[in-house]
Amino acid sequence: MLKTEKEKPLILVTNDDGIKAKGLEALVKMLKLIAEVVVVVPNESYSGMSHAITVKTPLYAKLVKEKEGLKLYKVNGTPVDCVKLALNVLLTKKPDLLVSGINHGTNSSISLHYSGTVGAAREGALNQIPAVGFSLLNYQHDADFTEAVKVAEHVVKSMLSDKLPQGTYLNVNIPDINPVKGARVARQSKGRWVEEFVSRQDPRGRDYYWLTGHFENLEPEAKDTDEYMLNKGYASIVPCQLDATNFNLLSYMKEQSYEL
């Protein structure tokens, strides 16, 4: 059951698009209606940072806004830095839920491994906090998050009433359509980024490179994946886990000559 109005749950919010992101604003507006919210976000975009942390320079956390039921901090670090600072310094109690996003752009399939949005959710799971990362399949600054917020509200309320097992977190992607048909639980699609580096020269004649490329779905016919659900107009909910052990290979290796 959800906590009573007097005992609203505490939700920690972060993202990787930075404090000015429209997806963050839309998410916080919705969460304030159901929870006490503490927002700890990067002061600028840290997309593609995955689980990166800052260890060579000091971190600064500035309280930007404080009113009833809401605190907002900005940090000169990565999404995972934000989570670590929140849990170890800024919060006085453990949050009931960590919500990351709503990201501008997809984090489905293998993109979740590069994503700072998902990295922050993973850090929550590492600290035994139910966590979820939300992403909308629209990279535009002024994207419409109306449908994404509806999906996020449904998933957040479900997570507050039905706790995830420890060591797990959710990666939720939402198609950029109106209306979204619904939300479906799926597995991560097998895919790869076909990477290209655009080479140019600076005014001093030195070569420099911009990374670009496109995503390739390696199983386009599969009907149980996040990519399939998104293409059919559904939000995809992928349950993820921290334990990276391949248990099938573990059993095989124990029977082979790997052990001394």
Side-chain angles (χ1 to χ4, degrees), residues 9-27:
L10 174 61
I11 295 180
L12 172 62
V13 177
T14 192
N15 75 351
D16 73 0
D17 290 314
I19 192 168
K20 296 181 180 180
K22 185 178 178 181
L24 174 71
E25 179 184 2
L27 178 66

Side-chain angles (χ1 to χ4, degrees), residues 26 30 102 134 145-157 174 178-180:
M30 178 272 290
I102 300 171
F134 291 106
F145 285 87
T146 304
E147 291 294 290
V149 166
K150 292 178 183 177
V151 173
E153 181 178 9
H154 171 76
V155 173
V156 165
K157 287 181 176 179
I174 302 120
N178 189 350
V180 172

Side-chain angles (χ1 to χ4, degrees), residues 44 78 95 104 124 126 160 209 237 240 242:
E44 59 185 86
T78 69
H104 292 242
L126 282 167
L160 288 172
Y209 305 91
I237 305 173
C240 306
L242 298 177

Side-chain angles (χ1 to χ4, degrees), residues 47-64:
S47 294
M49 288 291 102
S50 186
H51 215 96
I53 57 174
T54 301
V55 294
K56 293 185 177 181
T57 57
L59 292 172
Y60 298 89
K62 180 179 180 180
L63 181 61
V64 177

Side-chain angles (χ1 to χ4, degrees), residues 2-257:
L2 290 175
K3 295 187 178 183
T4 65
E5 183 67 20
K6 201 171 184 179
E7 307 174 280
K8 278 188 173 182
L10 174 61
I11 295 180
L12 172 62
V13 177
T14 192
N15 75 351
D16 73 0
D17 290 314
I19 192 168
K20 296 181 180 180
K22 185 178 178 181
L24 174 71
E25 179 184 2
L27 178 66
V28 172
K29 183 178 180 180
M30 178 272 290
L31 291 176
K32 286 192 304 180
L33 301 177
I34 61 176
E36 178 185 353
V37 178
V38 176
V39 183
V40 185
V41 290
N43 59 358
E44 59 185 86
S45 174
Y46 277 84
S47 294
M49 288 291 102
S50 186
H51 215 96
I53 57 174
T54 301
V55 294
K56 293 185 177 181
T57 57
L59 292 172
Y60 298 89
K62 180 179 180 180
L63 181 61
V64 177
K65 180 185 296 185
E66 182 175 13
K67 58 183 181 180
E68 185 177 356
L70 173 66
K71 285 186 178 181
L72 171 61
Y73 296 87
K74 66 177 181 179
V75 175
N76 63 322
T78 69
V80 173
D81 288 331
C82 292
V83 175
K84 288 181 177 293
L85 267 179
L87 298 182
N88 290 284
V89 178
L90 302 175
L91 294 178
T92 58
K93 63 180 180 179
K94 188 174 183 178
D96 296 284
L97 183 65
L98 186 153
V99 180
S100 185
I102 300 171
N103 190 68
H104 292 242
T106 179
N107 282 314
S108 57
S109 187
I110 61 166
S111 296
L112 73 87
H113 294 294
Y114 301 101
S115 167
T117 297
V118 180
R122 190 183 304 117
E123 180 65 22
L126 282 167
N127 288 275
Q128 294 81 52
I129 299 167
V132 55
F134 291 106
S135 303
L136 174 67
L137 276 63
N138 185 321
Y139 290 91
Q140 300 304 311
H141 172 75
D142 61 347
D144 183 355
F145 285 87
T146 304
E147 291 294 290
V149 166
K150 292 178 183 177
V151 173
E153 181 178 9
H154 171 76
V155 173
V156 165
K157 287 181 176 179
S158 296
M159 293 180 73
L160 288 172
S161 62
D162 185 16
K163 299 292 186 182
L164 292 176
Q166 286 194 5
T168 62
Y169 58 99
L170 300 182
N171 179 32
V172 179
N173 285 272
I174 302 120
D176 186 31
I177 59 174
N178 189 350
V180 172
K181 291 182 179 179
R184 296 289 184 269
V185 176
R187 65 175 175 86
Q188 176 187 324
S189 175
K190 295 181 177 68
R192 71 185 185 108
W193 280 98
V194 180
E195 295 172 342
E196 302 171 9
F197 283 89
V198 177
S199 176
R200 296 174 183 168
Q201 282 194 333
D202 69 14
R204 296 184 178 181
R206 297 174 299 186
D207 291 332
Y208 68 94
Y209 305 91
W210 283 108
L211 174 61
T212 183
H214 64 273
F215 174 75
E216 181 181 357
N217 187 352
L218 297 179
E219 45 180 354
E221 304 304 319
K223 296 183 178 181
D224 61 343
T225 70
D226 51 4
E227 290 294 326
Y228 178 84
M229 298 304 173
L230 291 166
N231 287 333
K232 293 297 182 181
Y234 294 93
S236 64
I237 305 173
V238 177
C240 306
Q241 63 183 17
L242 298 177
D243 190 343
T245 306
N246 184 319
F247 287 97
N248 290 330
L249 186 56
L250 176 70
S251 299
Y252 170 80
M253 291 178 67
K254 284 180 174 293
E255 297 171 357
Q256 305 306 313
S257 57

